[in-house]
Amino acid sequence: MINKILAENSLSTRQDLEDAFLEMLNPYLCKLSPGKASVDPGTTAAIFSERAAGLEGFSRLLWGIVPFLKGTENVKKADELTDIILKGISCGTDPDHKEFWGIPDNYDQVMVEMGAFAYALLMVPEKIWDPLDNKQKQNFSGWLQYINDRNIPDCNWVFFRILVNAALVKLGITPVHPELLSESLKIADSFYLDENGWYNDGYPDQRRARDYYVPWAMHFYGMVFSAYCEDLYPGYAEKYKRRALEYYDEFSRWFDSDGRALPFGRSLTYRFAQCSFWGAIPLAFNDGIDWSRTRGLFASNMRWWFNQSMFDGAGLLSVGYCYPNQYMAERYNSANSPLWAFKSFAPLALKENHPFWKASELRPSAAENALQQSTGMFFCTRENTGHLHVLSAGQWIPGIYNEHLHMAEKYAKFAYSAYFGFNVVTDGYGIDKMAADNMLLLGEDEDEGFYRYRKGSIIHEVKKDCLRFEWKPFHDVKVDTWLLPINEGRWHIRIHKIKSERTLFSAEGGFPLGFNDDYYPVPNFEDTLQENQAFAITGLGASCIAGIGGSRKGYLIPSCPNANIMFPRSLVPVLKGKHRPGEFLLVCAVSANPDPGGITDVPEKNDFINIIPEEIRQLMMEN
């Protein structure tokens, strides 16, 4: 459901943001345990224990409470929340208390939640540390030090160890392994790509992961470190600030003029954590920033989210994206996980006279269509095409074990849209359940309905006007794919050169398209047959995929309910075909527009043949 109070909040002032925070916080205060160390995690499960999920709820509230305590003039509410936090910390870190958070194992979720406590100790030690007695301080610091005796993944988790140890040093406590702070800073540095502010979430030679963990983790923690630890490591503090400035323009491309952010990658249930990068900038910078632009990027995204159905009936953030949706969740998402979004309340730490709050908002304006080399994406602006979207060469290397769900849908589709979103697989067979949007499905038996699709790419080539990648859905099937934006990005061309030793059935989808009750009764897909084209129009927009050459059949395939992260009901225009063993081309043009009448004429081969790479042009001419 939509929270009407939040939907009507203009976010024009610091007080508006504080009011929004308290409106979201108060329902969680009713869910606290008697010892205040846990938030009831509900009835759904994550891969970690219920105890850890309860801690997750408590700790993630701190991402909002801590900056509130730093900047508010509401003394009564600040005292109330301080008492809650102090009691929760006292009980949660006491080994003899029934609400003890426990001793973490290697790779334990508990260590993720330590980051919020480090944030508190760095920002408001006078409220979170000083009031504790000696025994409580010993329990608290001792519990935090478990992060130094446990294995953690080589990814954004390294920053939790950095922040915890920096906080301990600032309090005058010598960590168990004092060398770990310097070592961890060096490990985090090895993730940096030296490309316009981009990190990789982990070692770049192991996987490609350039998603929201770069802004809401790597850069966010780097700016917190810069703000509060400059005296410890001035070189790193300056380095993190410089990288954030380099990243500023790169990341601004991920937002459209209404504040929508591009949905891509994992952990999307963290929702308006998308704008936490913009909210952390004023923690680290007092000048040298375009504050009007920063305010506009921050507030427009928050306002957009405040108009989405992201709450349950009790006023708690649900797991999902634009509406409650367990299909798209991660294995590590408990009912309390969405509270990661509270990181975006960082500007509450600022007084009203900070230039961030004094600046007038500048509405986000898209840059020109452009290639983003580090992500392997070609950005097509809303101003040029009707919706912000990207063509993607794909991320995440296939074959590496990890616990994450729906990686193909979140990282390997051919295109992603800030308006149309994307579908996730809801079952193991059937085009309607296998998220065919912006994917090419290949299978051996059309009746059985089992298909394979790109999970990652063996080869990436990212050029100014063309993305190319190679992938293998079967051991004896190789696919070379080219993606080319044309007509200022209003259309894109897909060329697949397929070499197969088996008969294949294909299903290739365009952008998913939401619909409401005005589209009912939903037509049977067999009644939507079109020759070599599938064109759909609903009250929520239009989507088209058209074959260029060849003789595939076009259908409008209703998706499984709740498959799309933006719209509970959606369909996908799909081209279907049967292909004999050998080498052949599949070529199509794809377009979508939120305006039902906004799609321009389907391009013909002569409209784009001259921009096709030479290596494939001759085959195109013969096709």
Side-chain angles (χ1 to χ4, degrees), residues 255-303:
F255 297 82
D256 75 9
S257 53
D258 282 340
R260 291 184 189 87
L262 182 75
F264 175 82
R266 64 190 178 97
S267 298
L268 291 176
T269 196
Y270 299 160
R271 295 187 173 102
F272 55 91
Q274 291 167 337
C275 66
S276 61
F277 173 83
W278 311 116
I281 283 177
L283 298 183
F285 295 91
N286 290 314
D287 52 37
I289 297 293
D290 185 338
W291 293 113
S292 291
R293 186 182 179 200
T294 305
R295 272 285 304 279
L297 286 160
F298 173 82
S300 62
N301 183 249
M302 289 285 270
R303 278 193 297 267

Side-chain angles (χ1 to χ4, degrees), residues 86 108 267 351 372 559:
L86 290 174
D108 200 314
S267 298
K351 298 298 184 181
Q372 195 167 79
S559 306

